[in-house]
């Protein structure tokens, strides 16, 4: 029989908690002291201060302390993102009473516990529009080209619950975007709905420019090799290479090393570099989705372990950014790696809008390992000047970090952003099977419900996207009664109401 463990004495816990509080508050003040002079938006000051204390706390492993607090009916510190110091203060005040000692600090006010959550809710409303009546999570939809002509499609999306319309600047053109925006604004006005428009600047998405092969069926399978090259004028015959794919960015070949992983089409093809020169790399396929797969032009390329510098904004991106500054409510920034990328975007917007640049809302897509590692400074730099949100771009992020780490990282991003009162968009392949076939899988329904912890969830375009919006609305309506962020809501359960025999 296992030996029973006694709960830790409240006096010992009080000492531990007081020491933790002193360390966290001291380190947090030092972090905030560095940040404060850079913050131009008054609305972000309190959020930045809370984030500084949260980061100071999360540098520590406090799992042992959590298990010691729970038997006393105290907060185990698992939901302190929007109220870090107040949560610690409340636990210390209660421990002082349990230990019959004068508490080293006063019990915090109720207002201090809710002000962080209220800031986040207000920020979400400012960026994504008014909260729908029956759910707090907004729905974002990527506009298909048809939205420029099919007014009924736009009306149906809004009627079913779309709150944010996303225009992907990697596709279509300003003429088509203008028609889309006209249709969205008109339909929203008719429905008296607050629908925001996000224009997503393409950024340096690395893609296959062209393909050369002598094979009739140029599919690849594990063990095959393909050549990645920037030179299409001199293609030497090579029996071991089935397909040659073009990529015009020279920095890639200068940075690649033997053994580096290469991924195509969000991980549909995964391989390793077996040889590399300044002009090309030969890649051996290690894994494909299925028995074999065809590589196509325009497929995305990822290099998870390779760092290289490429321009954040192309000339086309700058033109698209100018259009977005005139027409969009939010500007999406792709492939952000660090705070310097944010500064470049802000400077470009300022050159277009001047003093009005501070009012333009920004969204950073977190899709690289570098972005995750630099997330706190990205949040600080962006929110210091602009209303700001984050999109967890789970497709590229999964390729960059590996699918195992994705589950962990998407939660960490949610926590860090909540501590900074930054709204989050849960993106990539949400209800993907539903959108394309009309039938959802069980796994993607659960994934969609998990996305309800974010302030907004993004759906891609597809034949059944209207039905997917309706389904997502119903999922969020149900889940809102049971969960907010990390906090379960204990609504009465019908399953618990057993009939008396």
């Amino acid at each position: 029989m296992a030996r029973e463990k006694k709960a830790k004495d409240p006096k010992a816990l009080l000492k531990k908690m007081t020491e933790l509080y002193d360390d966290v508050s001291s380190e947090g003040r030092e972090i905030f002291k560095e940040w404060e002079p850079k913050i131009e938006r008054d609305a972000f000051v309190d959020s930045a201060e809370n984030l500084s204390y949260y980061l100071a706390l999360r540098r520590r492993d406090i799992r042992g302390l959590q298990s010691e607090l729970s038997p006393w009916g105290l907060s185990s510190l698992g939901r302190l993102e929007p109220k870090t110091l107040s949560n610690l203060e409340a636990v210390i005040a209660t421990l002082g009473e349990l230990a019959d000692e004068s508490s080293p600090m006063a019990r915090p006010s109720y207002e201090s516990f809710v002000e962080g959550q209220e800031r986040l809710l207000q920020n979400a409303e400012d960026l994504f529009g008014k909260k729908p009546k029956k759910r707090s999570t907004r729905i974002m939809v990527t506009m298909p080209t048809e939205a420029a002509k099919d007014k009924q499609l736009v009306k149906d999306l809004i009627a079913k619950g779309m709150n944010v319309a996303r225009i992907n600047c990697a596709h279509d053109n300003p003429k088509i975007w203008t028609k889309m925006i006209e249709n969205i604004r008109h339909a929203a006005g008719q429905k008296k709905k607050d629908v925001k428009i996000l224009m997503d600047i393409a950024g340096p998405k690395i893609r296959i420019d062209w393909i050369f092969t002598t094979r009739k069926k140029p599919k690849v399978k594990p063990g095959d090799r393909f050549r990645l090259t920037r030179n299409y004028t001199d293609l030497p015959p090579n029996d071991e290479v089935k397909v040659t794919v073009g990529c015009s960015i020279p920095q890639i070949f200068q940075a690649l090393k033997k053994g580096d992983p290469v991924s195509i089409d969000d991980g549909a093809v995964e391989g390793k570099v077996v040889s590399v020169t300044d002009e090309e790399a030969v890649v051996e396929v290690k894994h494909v989705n299925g028995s074999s797969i065809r590589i196509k032009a325009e497929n995305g390329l990822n290099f998870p372990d390779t760092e290289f510098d490429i321009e954040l904004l192309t000339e086309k991106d700058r033109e698209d950014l100018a259009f977005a500054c005139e027409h969009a409510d939010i500007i999406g920034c792709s492939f952000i790696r660090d705070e310097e990328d944010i500064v470049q975007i802000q400077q470009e917007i300022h050159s277009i809008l001047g003093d009005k640049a501070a009012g333009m809302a920004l969204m950073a897509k977190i899709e690289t390992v570098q972005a995750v590692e630099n997330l706190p400074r990205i949040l600080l730099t962006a929110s210091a000047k602009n209303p700001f949100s984050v999109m967890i771009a789970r497709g590229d992020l999964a390729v960059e970090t590996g699918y195992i780490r994705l589950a962990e990282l998407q939660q960490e991003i949610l926590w860090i952003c909540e501590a900074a009162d930054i709204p989050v968009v849960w993106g990539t392949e949400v209800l993907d099977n539903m959108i394309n076939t009309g039938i959802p899988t069980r796994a993607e329904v659960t994934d969609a419900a998990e996305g309800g912890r974010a302030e907004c969830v993004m759906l891609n375009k597809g034949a059944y996207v209207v039905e997917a919006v309706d389904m997502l609305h119903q999922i969020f309506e149900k889940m809102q009664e049971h969960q907010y962020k990390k906090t379960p809501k204990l609504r009465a359960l019908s399953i618990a109401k057993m009939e008396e025999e």
Side-chain angles (χ1 to χ4, degrees):
M1 184 174 180
R3 186 177 64 181
E4 291 186 6
K5 291 185 178 180
K6 292 183 179 180
K8 204 84 168 180
D9 181 84
K11 290 184 179 181
L13 278 175
L14 178 60
K15 184 174 183 294
K16 277 189 177 184
M17 281 297 302
T18 304
E19 290 173 352
L20 176 65
Y21 180 89
D22 289 342
D23 291 342
V24 167
S25 58
S26 176
E27 288 182 24
R29 280 194 300 271
E30 287 301 311
I31 295 171
F32 185 64
K33 185 178 178 180
E34 177 195 344
W35 288 357
E36 191 173 17
K38 304 173 185 177
I39 302 173
E40 298 178 14
R41 290 176 62 236
D42 291 341
F44 185 61
V45 173
D46 290 340
S47 303
E49 186 174 15
N50 184 70
L51 175 61
S52 68
Y53 293 123
Y54 183 74
L55 294 176
L57 177 72
R58 294 309 304 267
R59 292 172 177 176
R60 295 163 165 79
D61 187 338
I62 60 169
R63 287 175 290 178
L65 182 58
Q66 286 183 290
S67 64
E68 292 170 2
L69 290 169
S70 293
W72 292 96
L74 297 174
S75 167
S76 61
L77 310 178
R79 297 187 294 275
L80 48 59
E81 281 76 13
K83 51 184 185 300
T84 303
L85 283 189
S86 294
N87 198 297
L88 297 178
E89 290 164 358
V91 172
I92 290 170
T94 302
L95 278 171
E97 294 171 8
L98 288 172
D100 288 328
E101 293 186 3
S102 58
S103 178
M105 58 191 62
R107 186 173 297 280
S109 66
Y110 171 79
E111 287 74 21
S112 69
F113 274 85
V114 299
E115 61 186 10
Q117 181 178 333
E118 289 176 350
R119 285 195 299 266
L120 178 55
L121 293 173
Q122 185 60 56
N123 291 341
E125 183 168 313
D126 292 343
L127 272 92
F128 305 141
K130 294 179 181 178
K131 187 180 85 67
K133 289 182 179 179
K134 296 184 179 181
R135 55 181 163 87
S136 57
T137 301
R138 279 72 166 178
I139 298 173
M140 176 188 295
V141 181
T142 301
M143 293 291 97
T145 304
E146 293 77 16
K149 294 182 178 179
D150 192 343
K151 296 180 181 181
Q152 190 59 49
L153 170 64
V154 176
K155 290 178 181 178
D156 291 343
L157 288 169
I158 293 174
K160 292 298 182 182
M162 178 180 75
N163 308 105
V164 183
R166 173 179 177 255
I167 296 175
N168 186 354
C169 294
H171 303 289
D172 303 316
N173 56 59
K175 183 178 180 180
I176 292 174
W177 302 335
T178 300
K179 292 300 297 180
M180 287 180 182
I181 292 167
E182 288 174 355
N183 291 341
I184 294 163
R185 300 287 192 208
H186 181 72
Q190 284 188 325
K191 297 284 184 182
K192 296 182 179 179
K193 294 289 182 69
D194 185 13
V195 178
K196 301 294 186 181
I197 292 176
L198 163 71
M199 294 201 70
D200 214 336
I201 307 303
K205 174 72 173 179
I206 304 171
R207 298 183 183 276
I208 294 173
D209 297 329
W210 50 267
I211 292 178
F212 173 82
T213 181
T214 59
R215 308 292 178 99
K216 289 183 179 179
K217 296 181 178 180
K219 293 185 175 182
V220 296
K221 62 183 185 299
D224 288 343
R225 294 185 173 188
F226 65 87
R227 180 188 294 106
L228 179 66
T229 181
R230 55 182 293 208
N231 185 358
Y232 58 85
T233 60
D234 183 20
L235 298 175
N238 189 330
D239 291 336
E240 69 175 8
V241 175
K242 295 186 85 172
V243 181
T244 295
V245 299
C247 180
S248 59
I249 300 173
Q251 295 93 322
I252 291 171
F253 303 98
Q254 294 163 8
L256 276 174
K257 302 183 299 295
K258 186 176 179 179
D260 280 358
V262 178
S263 176
I264 297 177
D265 194 22
D266 286 347
V269 179
E270 296 177 353
K272 294 273 188 184
V273 174
V274 294
S275 65
V276 62
T277 70
D278 289 342
E279 296 291 329
E280 68 174 41
V282 175
V283 181
E284 183 172 306
V285 177
K286 298 296 183 183
H287 173 78
V288 300
N289 286 351
S291 57
S292 65
I293 197 164
R294 183 181 175 187
I295 299 175
K296 302 176 183 178
E298 293 298 309
N299 279 164
L301 286 164
N302 288 86
F303 306 89
D305 292 350
T306 309
E307 290 191 13
F308 46 86
D309 291 324
I310 56 177
E311 284 293 322
L312 180 67
L313 296 173
T314 65
E315 190 56 41
K316 177 185 181 299
D317 290 333
R318 287 185 168 86
E319 293 172 1
D320 295 346
L321 194 56
F323 181 95
C325 282
E326 183 180 353
H327 296 92
D329 299 301
I330 313 166
I331 293 176
C333 313
S334 298
F335 292 93
I336 296 297
R337 295 159 294 189
D338 53 34
E339 65 268 30
E340 292 178 6
D341 288 341
I342 293 291
V343 170
Q344 184 177 342
I345 293 285
Q346 289 173 326
Q347 289 174 341
E348 191 70 25
I349 292 174
H350 188 270
S351 70
I352 298 167
L353 294 177
D355 293 340
K356 295 181 180 179
M360 176 55 72
L362 303 181
M363 177 185 294
K365 294 171 71 176
I366 305 301
E367 49 200 324
T368 66
V369 174
Q370 285 175 279
V372 174
E373 292 172 346
N374 295 313
L375 184 59
R377 291 196 175 275
I378 288 172
L379 301 184
L380 170 70
T381 304
S383 297
K385 290 188 176 182
N386 297 86
F388 183 63
S389 60
V390 157
M391 177 186 287
I392 308 176
R394 299 183 300 159
D396 282 294
L397 188 58
V399 173
E400 287 268 326
T401 64
Y403 286 93
I404 301 300
R405 284 205 71 200
L406 175 66
E408 172 188 21
L409 290 178
Q410 63 190 12
Q411 297 300 329
E412 291 185 13
I413 294 168
L414 282 170
W415 301 337
I416 295 290
C417 288
E418 185 181 2
D421 307 321
I422 302 293
V424 175
V425 179
W426 183 271
T428 311
E429 295 186 350
V430 177
L431 293 181
D432 192 56
N433 202 68
M434 170 75 185
I435 290 169
N436 289 297
T437 70
I439 302 172
T441 66
R442 295 168 181 83
E444 69 183 14
V445 171
T446 304
D447 175 65
E450 181 76 3
R453 297 189 180 200
E455 282 65 48
C456 186
V457 169
M458 185 187 81
L459 297 177
N460 278 323
K461 54 194 174 183
Y464 297 90
V465 67
V466 173
E467 292 83 353
V469 170
D470 186 40
M471 183 175 193
L472 198 58
H473 167 77
Q474 294 182 61
I475 291 171
F476 292 156
E477 186 177 316
K478 296 288 186 184
M479 290 305 299
Q480 181 169 276
E481 300 297 319
H482 297 284
Q483 187 87 27
Y484 174 75
K485 293 292 193 178
K486 291 164 67 178
T487 304
K489 294 181 178 181
L490 302 185
R491 191 202 74 175
L493 295 179
S494 57
I495 198 171
K497 298 176 182 177
M498 301 172 62
E499 293 183 11
E500 295 182 3
E501 295 183 0

